[in-house]
């Protein structure tokens, strides 16, 4: 597992997200109202809408294009729609740094 530094917890407002590109994949890191952080591929499986631009409610994000509801904890699209997005494990340290854990080499790209 490779740890990739994303930024500080304070960089992400509550119920918002921050995006980073990891090994060619854009990832959205969401901060829930509880302060918990979750990361998913920043692409709705329906029409590739940017999930980072969606509305966060509880532990779901609503795609800004067609309102598909996606669980940020497991990446599953909620009924009546079907599909899923890739999820990424997130860690924080005592200095409030946010890390994505990936299986690759950890290439953070612009």
């Amino acid at each position: 597992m490779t740890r990739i530094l994303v930024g500080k917890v304070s960089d992400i407002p509550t119920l918002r997200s921050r995006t980073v590109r990891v090994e060619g994949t854009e990832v959205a890191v969401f901060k829930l109202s509880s302060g918990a952080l979750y990361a998913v591929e920043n692409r709705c499986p329906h029409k590739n809408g940017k999930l980072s631009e969606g509305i966060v409610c509880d532990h779901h994000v609503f795609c800004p294009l067609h309102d598909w509801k996606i669980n940020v904890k497991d990446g599953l699209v909620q009924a009546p729609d079907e599909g899923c997005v890739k999820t990424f494990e997130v860690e924080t340290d005592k200095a409030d740094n946010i890390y994505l854990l990936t299986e690759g080499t950890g290439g953070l790209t612009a």
Side-chain angles (χ1 to χ4, degrees):
M1 255 319 148
T2 302
R3 290 176 68 191
I4 299 171
L5 178 64
V6 173
K8 296 280 193 185
V9 173
S10 60
D11 292 342
I12 306 174
T14 302
L15 299 178
R16 302 294 284 230
S17 66
R18 175 178 178 160
T19 60
V20 294
R21 187 166 288 280
V22 179
E23 297 175 350
T25 300
E26 190 170 55
V27 177
V29 181
F30 292 93
K31 185 193 281 184
L32 305 185
S33 57
S34 66
L37 298 164
Y38 291 92
V40 299
E41 184 176 2
N42 192 27
R43 181 193 61 78
C44 179
H46 176 229
K47 295 281 185 177
N48 296 323
K50 290 193 175 274
L51 297 177
S52 60
E53 297 173 5
I55 294 172
V56 179
C57 182
D58 191 24
H59 58 276
H60 297 96
V61 61
F62 291 82
C63 177
L65 294 182
H66 298 101
D67 209 33
W68 277 33
K69 182 178 179 182
I70 299 166
N71 186 327
V72 297
K73 292 182 177 183
D74 61 17
L76 294 177
V77 173
Q78 305 300 287
D81 303 308
E82 295 179 357
C84 65
V85 295
K86 183 176 180 179
T87 60
F88 297 82
E89 192 173 347
V90 178
E91 274 185 357
T92 58
D93 63 17
K94 291 180 182 179
D96 281 338
N97 291 309
I98 303 168
Y99 297 93
L100 286 181
L101 303 180
T102 69
E103 305 225 358
T105 60
L108 186 65
T109 58

